[in-house]
Amino acid sequence: MLKILAGTAVPIDLTLALATFLSLAGISWKNRIFGAEEWFHRLRVTSLARAQRPDQVTDIGNNIFKIIKTSNIKKFGRYIGSSMEEDEMITVIGATGFTGTLIAQLLDKEQVPLRLTGRDRAKLDALGSSLSSNAEKIVLDVTDLSGLKTAIAGSDVVINCAGPFTTFGLKVAETVINAGVSYLDITGEQQYIAQVIERFNALAIKNECTAIPSCAFEYAMVDTAAAMMHQQLGGLTSIEATYFIEGMYTSRGTKRSIICALESPSFQLRNGTLTKIPGGESSPFPVDKNKTVQRFPFPGGEVYLLPLHIPIKNISTFLTAEASPAVLGLVSKIMPMIARTPLRKLIDLAIDHSDPVPKRTETKFKIFCKGSNANGTSSSTVEISGADPYYLTAKIVSQCAIALTKPGVPRGVISASMLSGFQFIQSITEAESVFWKQETL
């Protein structure tokens, strides 16, 4: 947001000096994203109007140094004040995928400046034609780093929907954060989340931007539930999160991400230490009074996301299935091995021929969270239930992306509930008929 404080004057010679510097630095006056031409025109008018009021001239020498360091007109605008606004650009990478399209449609409804990227020009044009706004469209393969840098230029926030993230995501995240642009994605891949936190937290802080890996519905909501219990219990030491999904229809991108996750090491947190998940384990879990299923451990992103804001020691994440323990045990041992063999190509081929449009509205879920405090004297549960996970992911991501364009957001790599407090994610999902039930035991 570019603004000039009422009562602030900038001498005209300083205006011209800045204009000369930016011109020499190669910043285009016609770049609508930075809005430099209009900004300097208004700055010049303000200077002339107040040239006779030296008492209100602000010493902005340090800020001139900052713009020279960053060559970023937007950051300079934030340094010197407020009264003129510039719309914030949100770029969606992988916009023609299933979730990317939902996100683009929601952002279009919010009337934010939008840039869409994808590998297929025809799909991009079709998506653009379906939107009410005149979104920019760029054909992009995320493995082309030069093209990626061009595609994100001038963005305030980049949403990455191009998975699998273990394969493609790290270079995208690094390029975006290196550019000082805020980043979020929709991954569910545990080890990718771990690498983003480890490799890019310091970089994001240094470049004054924010990264939210895995802003998808499941991790965002469990992260929120954990923050709720942490507040209620006066400290959260242990948490179990169990996902029950009924009618699990998945997109091709989700299937590919699952396979990538199976290839990677899988961890849960035990007494503050990352512990590998053994294959073959399962146990009965009551979904309600009339239904019991088997639950088995899986590598949830919560293992790395929750410790970003809660001093927690134990994190266990589970999926459920209506299958016998013997079948689950066999599958959990065999599938990771198959994912690391040449048979992986057959799996990829099957995914390529699967239905590209899942029956998302038929998917229903319940998430059961149980947490306890340090001495075990108090515990709390949060039960979350709803439907249409892909739409919820798109809704959470689009609202978080818009929130990232506002001032005052935390910098570095953060979790979804750290952006604007746990009430933010809760309110977004409640507006989409998600039910939250919290109890103290």
Side-chain angles (χ1 to χ4, degrees), residues 250-253 255-256 344-358:
T250 57
S251 68
R252 291 175 180 175
K255 292 181 177 74
R256 292 189 182 98
R344 163 70 184 272
K345 293 182 179 179
L346 294 177
I347 297 174
D348 290 337
L349 185 62
I351 291 172
D352 289 339
H353 287 81
S354 64
D355 187 351
V357 182

Side-chain angles (χ1 to χ4, degrees), residues 76-90:
F76 180 70
R78 293 188 186 105
Y79 291 138
I80 69 168
S82 70
S83 86
M84 178 182 137
E85 296 190 1
E86 178 72 23
D87 290 333
E88 310 288 357
M89 172 66 72
I90 297 177

Side-chain angles (χ1 to χ4, degrees), residues 301-363:
E302 297 94 339
V303 170
Y304 293 98
L305 294 168
L306 299 191
L308 292 176
H309 59 110
I310 298 173
I312 195 166
K313 298 295 184 183
N314 299 286
I315 304 173
S316 300
T317 51
F318 301 90
L319 287 175
T320 61
E322 297 183 60
S324 70
V327 170
L328 284 175
L330 184 63
V331 170
S332 65
K333 289 180 179 179
I334 290 178
M335 284 305 295
M337 291 189 291
I338 292 176
R340 301 185 189 104
T341 69
L343 290 174
R344 163 70 184 272
K345 293 182 179 179
L346 294 177
I347 297 174
D348 290 337
L349 185 62
I351 291 172
D352 289 339
H353 287 81
S354 64
D355 187 351
V357 182
K359 302 172 184 176
R360 59 179 181 85
T361 58
E362 296 182 23
T363 300

Side-chain angles (χ1 to χ4, degrees), residues 27-33 35-37:
I27 296 179
S28 169
W29 292 110
K30 299 302 181 183
N31 187 324
R32 80 169 186 81
I33 297 167
E37 183 177 36

Side-chain angles (χ1 to χ4, degrees), residues 91-94 116-120 124 138-152 172:
T91 296
V92 183
I93 295 176
L116 310 174
T117 82
R119 292 177 296 175
D120 189 307
L124 269 177
I138 298 177
V139 175
L140 173 68
D141 185 323
V142 293
T143 61
D144 175 9
L145 295 184
S146 176
L148 177 62
K149 290 176 183 177
T150 300
I152 67 171
V172 175

